[in-house]
Amino acid sequence: MRRWEWVGVLALALGLACGGRPAEAQTVVNGNFESGNTGFTSDYTYTTASADPATYWITTNPSLWHGAFAGFGDHTTGSGLMMIVNGATTPQTIWRQTVTGLTPGTIYNFRSWGAVAHGGASTIDFYVNSVKIGDFTATNLGEWTSGQSQWNSGAATSAVLELRNSSLGFVGNDFALDDISFTADRAPSAVPEPSSALLFLPALAAIGILKRRRKTEQ
């Protein structure tokens, strides 16, 4: 049996027994708001027309909600829905969702896109289970900027995700959110369990057969 054949068989066996799982699928529901005002909760008030702090609307263009807001498309496709927010002057949760089916011991990426709709920059905080894990700032009018923070699930199989606005300005502090996601960055370290070792047996048997065949052919 040639050396490269041995390497191939062993690599196959190791890959089957020790290979880590692929990154998990999106766990957030309606993170791009294409299903409208559903799948999440908010401390803000949903309204179709407002100039008041702590309100939001799901629409295709900020200027449709308020005449002073900039006109631009959503981040996902440029023509879809987004969350338009008139920032609160007191700490409140803009967006909240409980995700389930998480894998213990896994690093998750909590990410969102934001853009200034009116006024100056707004800072958006990432919270998991009421603990702040990071933030990002939407700085430019009508320009989408992404932020991301990581969280280790530990023993948890579910988590409460929140986006909060820490800018708290009465003037300005108006922004859009889109494409909120929470995905696995990497699976736990792959350590073969006793049952996983059984995956080696077919490969080892194949090696034995090939070795005996080689002796017969000599």
Side-chain angles (χ1 to χ4, degrees):
M1 187 177 182
R2 297 181 179 86
R3 181 178 298 176
W4 65 267
E5 292 175 319
W6 284 88
V7 172
V9 173
L10 287 173
L12 174 62
L14 288 170
L16 290 172
C18 300
R21 294 186 297 277
E24 296 182 7
Q26 168 68 267
T27 57
V28 165
V29 175
N30 193 31
N32 59 9
F33 301 104
E34 293 308 308
S35 296
N37 187 37
T38 185
F40 65 95
T41 60
S42 177
D43 293 343
Y44 284 45
T45 300
Y46 179 80
T47 177
T48 58
S50 175
D52 298 325
T55 56
Y56 75 96
W57 189 35
I58 308 300
T59 186
T60 58
N61 192 317
S63 64
L64 297 177
W65 192 44
H66 194 296
F69 286 10
F72 57 91
D74 77 326
H75 174 262
T76 311
T77 63
S79 59
L81 296 173
M82 65 185 106
M83 184 181 196
I84 310 301
V85 180
N86 191 324
T89 56
T90 58
Q92 297 181 49
T93 296
I94 306 168
W95 177 95
R96 180 190 299 107
Q97 187 176 124
T98 298
V99 292
T100 60
L102 305 182
T103 302
T106 302
I107 303 296
Y108 282 86
N109 293 319
F110 190 4
R111 189 180 191 185
S112 178
W113 288 79
V116 175
H118 177 257
S122 294
T123 298
I124 313 302
D125 300 332
F126 294 103
Y127 278 78
V128 178
N129 297 333
S130 298
V131 177
K132 181 179 176 179
I133 63 169
D135 59 55
F136 77 103
T137 301
T139 56
N140 298 324
L141 190 67
E143 183 176 318
W144 289 102
T145 302
S146 68
Q148 175 177 288
S149 293
Q150 292 190 322
W151 176 75
N152 191 320
S153 61
T157 57
S158 65
V160 178
L161 310 180
E162 294 177 280
L163 294 179
R164 304 181 187 179
N165 176 20
S166 58
S167 297
L168 306 180
F170 180 80
V171 179
N173 195 25
D174 306 311
F175 53 92
L177 295 174
D178 202 9
D179 292 329
I180 302 168
S181 62
F182 191 73
T183 54
D185 179 66
R186 57 180 180 273
S189 299
V191 178
E193 300 175 358
S195 59
S196 298
L198 296 176
L199 294 173
F200 281 103
L201 296 181
L204 293 175
I207 291 174
I209 293 171
L210 291 172
K211 186 175 182 180
R212 288 195 297 273
R213 181 180 297 173
R214 182 184 179 190
K215 288 183 178 179
T216 303
E217 292 174 351
Q218 289 178 343

